[in-house]
Amino acid sequence: MSSFSAFESPDSAATAAIDAAITTRHSMRAYLAQPVERALIEDILRVASRAPSGTNTQPWQVHVLTGAAKARLSQRITAAYDDPEELATHGEEYAYYPREWVSPYIDRRRKVGWDLYGLLGIAKGDKLRMHEQHGRNYLFFDAPVGLIFTIDRVMQQGSWLDYGMFLQNIMIAARARGLHTCPQAAFTQFHRLIADELALKPEQQLVCGMALGYADPAAVENSLVTEREPVAGFTRFLDAPLKG
């Protein structure tokens, strides 16, 4: 692969490789059992740590779960998720989604949901299979690596923006190495359980989880590619003052 320094422009091969890592990143929901070596995980996190952050605060904290540790967390969350009474005692610590949905966001949300369920043959109203499919989040979709991300509570909104760039860097760096990911806000509902299982400090707040591994090419759900708005749909180009 081509390389370039901080003051050089990437050549066409490097540009194509970067673009490919970005555009072939999809949220994969089924993984092979093939393990991911610790050195590779560390390499991905090292590259991702180059994400920008205000005054270099670097607010990210990563908890890497594999083997028995991942299985134990998945078991505890799944048990809570499948018990209606216990499930009712859990709730998100922060609002990831809007309190009130409006177009076009609710339309996009519904479409991706029904596109996924359609691929899986889950009919509208089949609450049991919907519950089971959502529950696969807590198995990290069978990925060999589960990532849990936390942030210190003293950090404010700007640091969460920085955190998003760090998460994106992980996903792109993983893709460049032949792996796939699925960022998962589903874990936020069980923040108290996760804090207990991972022995988090009181000042550590759960941000999200993420599955990491080699995607199963035979899994139909991995064929889902969500739509994106064209540039003209979300961009304004201004080359003159709007007011005199």
Side-chain angles (χ1 to χ4, degrees):
M1 180 183 296
S2 299
S3 62
F4 52 97
S5 75
F7 298 101
E8 294 176 331
S9 297
D11 59 24
S12 59
T15 298
I18 294 168
D19 288 354
I22 295 171
T23 58
T24 65
R25 184 220 63 81
H26 308 303
S27 292
M28 295 296 181
R29 296 177 175 85
Y31 291 82
L32 302 173
Q34 181 179 348
V36 181
E37 294 182 1
R38 176 169 174 166
L40 183 53
I41 300 170
E42 291 178 345
D43 190 43
I44 290 169
L45 295 175
R46 176 185 57 79
V47 171
S49 73
R50 297 306 307 176
S53 59
T55 62
N56 199 33
T57 50
Q58 303 176 63
W60 36 82
Q61 303 161 355
V62 187
H63 312 264
V64 181
L65 286 77
T66 58
K70 183 175 74 73
R72 167 70 177 176
L73 179 65
S74 292
Q75 181 183 35
R76 287 192 64 182
I77 297 178
T78 298
Y81 175 70
D82 287 338
D83 182 335
E85 290 188 6
E86 183 175 355
L87 179 61
T89 68
H90 294 275
E92 292 88 354
E93 192 173 16
Y94 71 92
Y96 182 89
Y97 292 109
R99 299 297 188 188
E100 180 180 351
W101 286 96
V102 297
S103 291
Y105 313 111
I106 185 61
D107 308 308
R108 295 169 183 164
R109 175 181 171 87
R110 286 171 175 163
K111 184 178 188 320
V112 71
W114 290 121
D115 285 351
L116 175 61
Y117 289 157
L119 288 170
L120 294 168
I122 300 176
K124 188 174 183 179
D126 190 341
K127 295 182 179 180
L128 177 59
R129 289 199 62 197
M130 290 179 185
H131 177 87
E132 292 174 346
Q133 177 58 32
H134 184 75
R136 285 186 48 72
N137 273 284
Y138 308 121
L139 303 176
F140 293 96
F141 297 110
D142 296 322
V145 181
L147 304 175
I148 295 293
F149 301 95
T150 59
I151 188 172
D152 278 350
R153 296 178 186 278
V154 297
M155 308 307 282
Q156 296 297 314
Q157 189 172 9
S159 292
W160 286 68
L161 295 175
D162 298 339
Y163 217 122
M165 291 184 277
F166 172 68
L167 295 172
Q168 176 74 349
N169 271 6
I170 290 175
M171 292 184 279
I172 298 307
R175 189 69 204 100
R177 290 158 176 79
L179 290 93
H180 273 287
T181 53
C182 185
Q184 298 166 275
F187 283 100
T188 60
Q189 182 174 9
F190 297 99
H191 63 92
R192 289 187 290 106
L193 190 156
I194 293 170
D196 179 67
E197 181 66 24
L198 302 188
L200 299 181
K201 298 176 182 177
E203 62 267 25
Q204 291 180 294
Q205 181 176 2
L206 177 67
V207 175
C208 66
M210 184 184 292
L212 170 69
Y214 296 95
D216 182 354
V220 66
E221 56 266 48
N222 286 343
S223 66
L224 176 64
V225 179
T226 54
E227 297 177 356
R228 292 293 188 270
E229 282 288 302
V231 172
F234 58 83
T235 308
R236 298 173 68 200
F237 290 94
L238 308 175
D239 60 6
L242 296 180
K243 294 183 178 180

